[in-house]
Amino acid sequence: MFDFDDTLVDTAPGKQEAYRRVARLIHSEADGNVSPEELIKQISRISEEMNRRRAYSRDEWWRILAREHGLSVTKHLELRATVAYWTSFRQHTQLYPDTLTVLKAIKAHGIPLGVVTDTDGWVGIKRWRLRTSPIF
């Protein structure tokens, strides 16, 4: 059994690009004077805090960000930010260099394989990420 994120795939590039994309989107559409660079730092901090609490709803992340910085973030912008986040995250998440080699070697020995993972906070997102991964 393997975990998916940060075991089979390296999510760091996906997270960084997702943070940048959401920061640019919120900066360009929300009322406020916070720079995209500052928003990236804050999104990263919120991500760490929420992950420790196992609170995975990205919509909630944007509400926290808005509250902390006095930004005007509508439900529509929350939705667009979450879609932008997961799209960027998926596009920029990469397999670790030896992932396929290790999985093929295990399978060649007749050992059953499985993936155990948590939620991404939106119904169907993790399933989509798994299905569109080169692993499956």
Side-chain angles (χ1 to χ4, degrees):
M1 298 298 264
F2 290 92
D3 181 42
F4 185 63
D5 291 328
D6 298 317
T7 302
L8 297 174
V9 297
D10 181 4
T11 62
K15 285 178 190 175
Q16 292 309 308
E17 186 55 36
Y19 296 168
R20 279 192 287 275
R21 188 163 173 198
V22 169
R24 286 190 308 263
L25 176 65
I26 290 176
H27 175 75
S28 70
E29 296 197 20
D31 296 333
N33 294 320
V34 184
S35 72
E37 294 77 18
E38 181 60 27
L39 290 172
I40 291 167
K41 289 178 190 173
Q42 296 306 313
I43 292 167
S44 180
R45 180 189 54 76
I46 291 167
S47 170
E48 290 174 19
E49 289 174 9
M50 297 298 274
N51 282 326
R52 276 194 297 276
R53 292 185 5 216
R54 299 191 194 290
Y56 300 115
S57 169
R58 279 14 180 217
D59 293 351
E60 179 62 21
W61 292 17
W62 320 141
R63 285 190 285 273
I64 292 168
L65 186 68
R67 252 191 330 268
E68 289 179 354
H69 294 285
L71 301 171
S72 173
V73 177
T74 64
K75 291 282 186 193
H76 181 71
L77 182 53
E78 281 177 16
L79 175 63
R80 290 182 52 224
T82 297
V83 169
Y85 178 92
W86 285 119
T87 302
S88 278
F89 189 94
R90 169 60 191 98
Q91 289 171 342
H92 296 276
T93 294
Q94 305 165 358
L95 291 178
Y96 285 111
D98 293 332
T99 296
L100 291 178
T101 303
V102 169
L103 293 177
K104 287 177 184 177
I106 292 169
K107 189 174 180 179
H109 284 87
I111 300 170
L113 292 169
V115 173
V116 176
T117 191
D118 58 6
T119 180
D120 282 335
W122 241 25
V123 174
I125 290 293
K126 183 68 77 156
R127 211 172 281 126
W128 167 71
R129 291 183 49 229
L130 289 166
R131 272 195 328 267
T132 59
S133 165
I135 296 170
F136 298 99

